[in-house]
Amino acid sequence: MSSTTGTATLPKVGTYTIDPAHTEVGFVARHLVGTKVRGRFTDVSGTFTVAEKPEDSTLEAVVQANSIHTNQPQRDDHLRTNDFLDVPNHPTLTLVSTGLRRVDDSNWVLTGDLTIRGVTTSVDFDLEFLGEGPSMQEGKTVVAFSAGATIDRRDFGVSFNHSLLDGSVVVGNKVVLEIEVEATQAD
C-alpha cells in the first residue's frame, strides 16, 4: 500500500525491478520542416529503491542502444552508426539518479546522470507517480511512473546534421524523452 509523506502519496518503501515488457523508453525528434519522428528502445532494465525519506530514493536503469526502433529499418540502422548512437562503441545508455525533489502530491523532479555515447550529462526529468496495485505475482506490488525530459543531442556528442539548400537542417537538436515505467516489488 502507498505511503503518505506530508500530503505526497508514494509507493511503499522498498526495491523495485523494472518490468521490460511493460516499460517504454521513447523519444521524439524533429525531421526536416518539423515532422515529429517517434522512436523507442525495446530493451530496458533496472532497479530503483524507494527510501523512507523520498529524497534518498535511488534509480539505476540501462537501455540497450541496439534496441532502437522507429518503424523504419533504414533509419534505425543509421541511428546505430557513429553519426548518432555509435552502438559498436557505446552499446548502452544509462541513467543513474543523483537527486529527487518533490513538486506536489504525485509529481517530482528526478535529477540523474544520463549517459549516451559515453558522455554523461545531468538531466532533470519531470516524474509522476501514477499509482500502485497488486501484481499478477501473488504478494507482490506493482508501481507505475511516467517521466519526461528534453535534451539537446549535441550535449551527448550526437552532432550529425546536414543542411538543405534553404539552410534548414535535416534533424532537430532537441530530443524529447518520454518514459513509462512499470516495476514490481523485488524479493
Side-chain angles (χ1 to χ4, degrees):
M1 179 160 196
S2 319
S3 63
T4 301
T5 303
T7 59
T9 303
L10 303 168
K12 67 180 169 182
V13 171
T15 300
Y16 296 82
T17 302
I18 293 172
D19 179 352
H22 297 102
T23 295
E24 182 167 299
V25 175
F27 60 90
V28 180
R30 296 283 183 170
H31 181 257
L32 294 176
V33 295
T35 301
K36 290 180 180 179
V37 173
R38 295 182 181 278
R40 62 188 171 96
F41 293 92
T42 60
D43 189 346
V44 59
S45 61
T47 60
F48 60 89
T49 300
V50 177
E52 289 284 342
K53 181 180 173 192
E55 294 78 7
D56 294 336
S57 299
T58 60
L59 162 77
E60 291 187 20
V62 177
V63 170
Q64 299 301 316
N66 197 46
S67 72
I68 195 165
H69 182 75
T70 65
N71 291 322
Q72 213 287 327
Q74 183 180 1
R75 179 174 46 226
D76 295 346
D77 289 343
H78 188 203
L79 291 170
R80 291 181 184 107
T81 70
N82 187 46
D83 285 343
F84 291 94
L85 295 176
D86 191 16
V87 172
N89 294 308
H90 304 286
T92 61
L93 294 78
T94 61
L95 177 62
V96 177
S97 64
T98 58
L100 184 65
R101 178 175 50 84
R102 179 177 175 226
V103 175
D104 60 32
D105 290 353
S106 59
N107 294 288
W108 302 78
V109 173
L110 172 74
T111 302
D113 286 339
L114 178 63
T115 303
I116 301 172
R117 285 182 57 115
V119 177
T120 302
T121 300
S122 182
V123 175
D124 287 339
F125 288 82
D126 294 325
L127 178 70
E128 181 182 6
F129 173 52
L130 301 174
E132 71 178 18
S135 169
M136 294 178 76
Q137 300 174 39
E138 189 173 331
K140 298 283 184 173
T141 299
V142 173
V143 298
F145 290 90
S146 186
T150 299
I151 62 171
D152 187 319
R153 63 187 177 87
R154 297 170 298 183
D155 293 343
F156 297 92
V158 182
S159 57
F160 170 84
N161 224 333
H162 287 287
S163 294
L164 301 175
L165 292 175
D166 69 355
S168 61
V169 293
V170 174
V171 181
N173 293 319
K174 301 270 186 223
V175 178
V176 177
L177 304 177
E178 300 173 334
I179 303 169
E180 299 296 326
V181 175
E182 183 175 297
T184 304
Q185 180 184 23
D187 291 327

